[in-house]
Amino acid sequence: MLQATPLTDGWILRHPDGAAASLPAAVPGCVHTDLLAAGVIPDPFLGRAETEVAWVGRRDWTYETDLDAASAHEQTDLVFDGLDTVAEILLDGRVLGRVRNMHRSYRFDVTGLSGRLSVRFASAYAEAEAVRGRLGERPAAYAEPYQYVRKMACSFGWDWGPTLVTAGIWRPVRLEHWSTARIARVRPVVGVEQGTGQVELAVDVERTRVEVPLTVEATVGGVRARAEIEGTGGTVRLSVPDVRLWWPRGYGEQPLYDVELRLLHGDAPLDVWRRRIGFRTVGLDRCADEHGTGFTLVVNGERLFARGVNWIPDDVFPSRVTRERYRTRLRQAAGAGVDLVRVWGGGIYESEDFYDACDELGLLVWQDFPFACAAYPEEQPLRGEVEAEARENVVRLMPHPSLVLWNGNNENLWGFRDWGWEPRLAGDSWGEGYYLGVLPRVVAELDPTRPYTAGSPWSGSWDRHPNDPAHGTHHSWEVWNRRDHADYRLSVPRFVAEFGWQAPPAYATLRRALPDEELAPDSPGMLHHQKADDGNGKLRRGLERYFALPEKDSEQDFDRWHYLTQVNQARAVAAGIEHWRSNWPVCAGTVLWQLNDCWPVTSWAAIDGDGREKPLYHELRRLYADRLLTLAVRGQGLELAVVNQAGLAWTGAARLRRMSVEGAVLGEASARFGAERRAVARIGVPKELEPVGPKEFLVADADGSRAVHFPAPDRQVPYPRPEFDVALVPGGVLVAARTLVRDLLLQADRLHPDARADRGLVTLLPGEEVTIGVSGWETPDAAAARSALYCMEPSR
């Protein structure tokens, strides 16, 4: 039977400042984390220390340990699950192999060998610049040479990430001892036909003895089947009756079935492969209709409005992301009502832990291939690496029922057409052959059960603009970059795969990252932790449209700025999602940019780099709930949209109240509605209830859901000075309003860095109260709670 021996102990990192200099090394890990642990470099997440460690990515590094491959088995392999990125592997000076792709695994025959194992990493910069020198310059969104090396692109920095170019043994390494034969690859094709699960396991084996007869035996759901291995391959098929279907969260349960495949010589087991699978069907409706070309996910025959978020690597040093950290972040996503996570193309193919958690939580996975925001050369050595990594990772991820879509790239088709790339390339290769050739061919051959799309955004044809909102996927970045978030309501894209608005991280996160700085929007550390082009200018212009801005000369004014940016982020995202959800089924999904951060930074994330939820996170819980009310101007009047994504019809009566900011009810009515399952109902608001001028607003309530419409920007609204009472209650804080209190927010991390609130922004009418649950607060105090409460105030 194959035996595996992890190689985690005894590694050292050779320091480049001297041939004898060395440090203890953690494997899996990377150079930066080893240097941090040894105190050689400062934490690049703090202050502006990122710039102090830039030299690390420009150096060559060597990892070493002693290796003894002696074994009673016929063969021993040295297996690396991931090497970042360009490396030469040697044993006592003998070259075992050379590698140049972070996204692949590697295997070397070391049977009977022993000695000093060295993994010599060359600088990814040196490799990328050498490839660029041979193949020629290609345009990109950023100046760093990330498109010339098969490495996590955002290692080289992004508009939310630091430039920390890593190197190291970033995934597990082990010795595998085996005899006669081993399982080299299992490709599971899983389907459902009339309630019966169909499993086809295509098996590749590696042998030491070709003459030995081999069989494979597979079991799943109590069904067992055998097949002969002919040469180095074979296929075993199983039919599992009466399977329970795997559903996305909110649509049903997520039953998972254990699959075991054993490689046998006679009755003697040689190797075993185990995974969990789920039975479900998935499709992508891209049919043309009167609105353009659709993009609707269909799971088990159910058409979905995808409630999505974009996922970036959760740490710029991905070896630090543990199984529990994945689960924490993905539980946060599920807790916000998310049912789809897009793994963005500037990152990595995530570890099994990520996809396992998505399987269990019912989170659909849209998987980008790792290409983003650049023209990628198609010549060697890159072309062969791209196909090899695609083949490996498609097969690796196939067992996961959560995986429902392969996507060729992020924004590269758009970039070619719209960002001036085409004339600059002058006929040079730029990646089209990957997205429209290599990758769809690999997916069709290896994983025929899942749809593939060439890119995001992509309209489906060069006959249309790649980012045409009426066709396929659309990225909405004119809003934020140049236009107000109210402009989200001007169009109905078929599927919004990226959109978002920035805000700084939580206050405690800023304090940890900038411990000695007097905080201001434009203080040195704040500017360093703002990577977007003119990011602060866009924040300011976004605020000026709605709010009277605070001055810059006090900590209190920074606190107000911090609060208002959080409010504006939540409102911007709400403007988009409310509008697009109310236009289902023309619009079939929204994928927020972005769920998470990889370090403490001002960004579009709902969860900051320390894992703290911004107010946007809690707003997502409302926006992505099965039932949503929204008020919007449509045509010549106001309309209430009743959005029902639940499996049962939603019928009832909405209470409509026209109110003054002083708290008087100026008009009231009850409006009956009926929204079928997975449908939207619309109700016209009577003219007499429409608010007039900045002193009035409209409130709609139904079954615990609320929508509020103010016709004027906050800077014009004569808010009363907010009055409310604060009291401690078991597990939280009770706030009772005596006046209108708009966008009340308890910033729990100001009470204690570990404190968390269970809700974000809430608007209270006079006489209403809310209990805000607070955890992680060691010494509750009502006065402290009041000091951490923020809301809209009269303009200064």
Side-chain angles (χ1 to χ4, degrees):
M1 189 70 170
L2 182 146
Q3 296 177 336
T5 304
L7 297 180
T8 56
D9 299 328
W11 289 91
I12 64 167
L13 174 66
R14 291 288 183 187
H15 198 288
D17 287 343
S22 64
L23 304 170
V27 171
C30 74
V31 170
H32 287 84
T33 53
D34 290 330
L35 296 176
L36 269 169
V40 175
I41 61 172
D43 187 338
F45 287 11
L46 304 184
R48 290 176 283 173
E50 173 199 353
T51 58
E52 299 175 37
V53 303
W55 60 272
V56 175
R58 292 283 182 180
R59 300 290 183 90
D60 298 342
W61 301 89
T62 298
Y63 282 81
E64 292 185 353
T65 192
D66 290 323
L67 180 74
D68 183 0
S71 170
H73 284 276
E74 294 174 347
Q75 182 157 331
T76 297
D77 294 335
L78 173 63
V79 182
F80 294 94
D81 285 341
L83 292 169
D84 175 17
T85 291
V86 182
E88 183 178 57
I89 298 90
L90 306 97
L91 188 60
D92 273 350
R94 169 193 167 192
V95 177
L96 299 178
R98 296 179 176 88
V99 303
R100 61 197 321 151
N101 192 327
M102 181 181 184
H103 306 302
R104 294 178 60 188
S105 63
Y106 299 95
R107 178 179 294 266
F108 305 100
D109 184 352
V110 293
T111 304
L113 301 179
S114 61
R116 193 66 171 170
L117 176 64
S118 300
V119 184
R120 296 178 180 172
F121 288 96
S123 165
Y125 275 115
E127 168 74 5
E129 289 160 356
V131 171
R132 179 173 60 189
R134 293 197 300 273
L135 302 183
E137 189 78 33
R138 301 295 198 281
Y142 303 99
E144 299 280 320
Y146 56 91
Q147 71 268 48
Y148 304 99
V149 61
R150 296 309 297 153
K151 175 177 173 58
M152 183 173 88
C154 63
S155 289
F156 292 89
W158 221 259
D159 58 3
W160 37 256
T163 301
L164 294 167
V165 179
T166 52
I169 305 171
W170 76 289
R171 280 183 166 161
V173 56
R174 63 191 173 278
L175 291 174
E176 288 189 358
H177 312 280
W178 56 279
S179 298
T180 306
R182 71 172 185 89
I183 297 170
R185 187 180 79 165
V186 178
R187 186 172 63 87
V189 179
V190 180
V192 185
E193 296 179 5
Q194 297 180 337
T196 298
Q198 304 293 342
V199 182
E200 178 182 286
L201 303 173
V203 186
D204 296 335
V205 301
E206 182 182 356
R207 292 172 174 264
T208 60
R209 289 180 280 168
V210 297
E211 74 282 1
V212 174
L214 301 173
T215 60
V216 286
E217 180 181 82
T219 58
V220 56
V223 175
R224 187 182 305 271
R226 279 199 177 209
E228 302 295 323
I229 294 293
E230 300 291 339
T232 59
T235 301
V236 58
R237 296 177 176 86
L238 305 94
S239 293
V240 186
D242 302 321
V243 293
R244 299 168 59 217
L245 294 180
W246 184 97
W247 287 94
R249 63 168 302 280
Y251 291 83
E253 297 181 347
Q254 294 79 43
L256 298 169
Y257 290 74
D258 293 319
V259 179
E260 180 179 280
L261 182 140
R262 296 195 301 160
L263 178 64
L264 304 171
H265 173 211
D267 292 329
L270 302 176
D271 199 357
V272 64
W273 179 90
R274 297 185 180 92
R275 297 291 188 276
R276 290 187 306 171
I277 62 171
F279 293 99
R280 53 100 184 99
T281 63
V282 60
L284 183 62
D285 184 350
R286 289 181 271 202
C287 291
D289 57 26
E290 67 272 26
H291 304 287
T293 308
F295 194 91
T296 304
L297 282 166
V298 184
V299 178
N300 298 328
E302 185 84 62
R303 299 170 67 82
L304 311 182
F305 182 98
R307 293 170 278 188
V309 288
N310 282 275
W311 171 277
I312 66 169
D314 204 51
D315 197 313
V316 74
F317 306 130
S319 59
R320 296 201 298 201
V321 184
T322 63
R323 178 179 179 85
E324 187 50 44
R325 181 162 160 184
Y326 274 125
R327 289 178 178 271
T328 295
R329 202 68 69 243
L330 291 167
R331 286 191 197 105
Q332 287 175 304
V338 169
D339 59 22
L340 181 142
V341 179
R342 176 190 172 207
V343 181
W344 167 76
I348 57 177
Y349 307 94
E350 298 287 347
S351 82
E352 296 295 329
D353 295 330
F354 173 91
Y355 305 95
D356 285 345
C358 290
D359 291 343
E360 295 165 16
L361 293 167
L363 293 171
L364 301 173
V365 176
W366 159 336
Q367 177 70 52
D368 281 13
F369 287 97
F371 301 90
C373 300
Y376 284 76
E378 297 176 40
E379 294 83 3
Q380 299 294 3
L382 293 172
R383 187 178 185 87
E385 289 292 343
V386 165
E387 179 155 355
E389 84 177 45
R391 288 184 170 276
E392 176 177 342
N393 285 285
V394 165
V395 172
R396 177 173 75 89
L397 300 181
M398 280 177 66
H400 295 282
S402 56
L403 178 59
V404 295
L405 181 67
W406 292 103
N407 177 52
N409 74 87
N410 176 75
E411 297 190 342
N412 294 345
L413 297 163
W414 182 18
F416 177 77
R417 177 56 53 85
D418 225 26
W419 299 351
W421 293 1
E422 189 169 4
R424 290 174 59 189
L425 286 163
D428 286 344
S429 66
W430 57 275
E432 182 182 27
Y434 297 145
Y435 319 134
L436 299 178
V438 173
L439 298 176
R441 170 170 54 82
V442 168
V443 172
E445 174 193 340
L446 298 177
D447 189 14
T449 68
R450 290 181 177 88
Y452 170 87
T453 184
S456 185
W458 179 233
S459 62
S461 169
W462 283 119
D463 294 336
R464 299 181 287 265
H465 190 282
N467 199 28
D468 187 334
H471 300 276
T473 49
H474 176 68
H475 290 194
S476 180
W477 285 119
E478 283 298 299
V479 171
W480 165 252
N481 282 324
R482 280 166 282 277
R483 289 161 48 187
D484 179 31
H485 58 69
D487 287 358
Y488 282 137
R489 301 189 181 99
L490 299 181
S491 69
V492 182
R494 304 311 302 269
F495 192 106
V496 189
E498 281 190 21
F499 72 104
W501 200 272
Q502 273 200 349
Y507 182 80
T509 300
L510 286 174
R511 268 284 149 247
R512 187 189 72 80
L514 306 171
D516 302 318
E517 183 160 308
E518 182 177 341
L519 295 177
D522 58 354
S523 61
M526 287 292 294
L527 290 177
H528 186 80
H529 288 251
Q530 164 62 279
K531 297 295 186 178
D533 181 36
D534 190 31
N536 271 20
K538 293 169 185 175
L539 281 175
R540 184 187 68 254
R541 290 189 290 276
L543 290 176
E544 286 173 342
R545 295 184 179 104
Y546 294 94
F547 309 104
L549 295 188
E551 301 297 329
K552 297 182 179 180
D553 56 358
S554 74
E555 182 177 345
Q556 183 179 1
D557 289 325
F558 174 81
D559 292 346
R560 196 71 192 162
W561 174 88
H562 183 267
Y563 162 75
L564 290 176
T565 55
Q566 303 287 343
V567 170
N568 214 31
Q569 181 186 40
R571 288 197 195 169
V573 170
I577 294 179
E578 288 183 349
H579 173 63
W580 296 320
R581 279 195 70 182
S582 70
N583 280 281
W584 160 261
V586 177
C587 180
T590 57
V591 189
L592 172 72
W593 188 269
Q594 62 215 65
L595 174 69
N596 58 326
D597 269 326
C598 64
W599 77 313
V601 64
T602 296
S603 85
W604 300 263
I607 301 168
D608 75 19
D610 282 5
R612 294 185 175 92
E613 299 95 349
K614 297 183 186 178
L616 171 59
Y617 171 84
H618 298 283
E619 184 69 353
L620 277 182
R621 293 171 61 186
R622 181 184 73 86
L623 297 169
Y624 278 165
D626 281 349
R627 293 176 169 180
L628 171 70
L629 294 180
T630 176
L631 288 162
V633 177
R634 188 180 292 268
Q636 299 301 309
L638 268 180
E639 181 180 86
L640 175 68
V642 181
V643 181
N644 179 30
Q645 206 161 345
L648 298 175
W650 184 14
T651 60
R655 183 187 183 191
L656 302 174
R657 283 177 287 174
R658 177 184 171 192
M659 300 191 66
S660 73
V661 293
E662 289 84 9
V665 177
L666 306 177
E668 184 171 355
S670 178
R672 302 285 312 171
F673 64 83
E676 298 298 321
R677 66 185 296 275
R678 325 286 192 212
V680 179
R682 294 183 173 87
I683 305 168
V685 173
K687 278 290 183 183
E688 63 270 18
L689 292 183
E690 290 186 8
V692 178
K695 294 184 178 182
E696 298 181 2
F697 62 101
L698 181 65
V699 180
D701 291 290
D703 298 330
S705 297
R706 169 172 284 182
V708 180
H709 172 72
F710 283 77
D714 297 74
R715 54 186 167 78
Q716 296 178 9
V717 177
Y719 289 115
R721 185 158 300 280
E723 297 179 7
F724 51 84
D725 299 316
V726 179
L728 298 179
V729 295
V733 176
L734 175 69
V735 181
R738 288 184 270 119
T739 63
L740 170 66
V741 179
R742 189 179 185 194
D743 285 329
L744 178 73
L745 176 66
L746 176 63
Q747 297 192 39
D749 61 288
R750 289 176 178 266
L751 302 172
H752 188 278
D754 295 333
R756 297 288 193 276
D758 68 356
R759 66 181 62 219
L761 299 165
V762 59
T763 292
L764 299 176
L765 306 180
E768 293 184 336
E769 61 183 37
V770 63
T771 297
I772 304 170
V774 181
S775 61
W777 188 15
E778 296 176 349
T779 55
D781 175 80
R786 177 176 283 275
S787 71
L789 285 164
Y790 292 77
C791 64
M792 287 297 148
E793 297 178 350
S795 297
R796 301 181 192 180

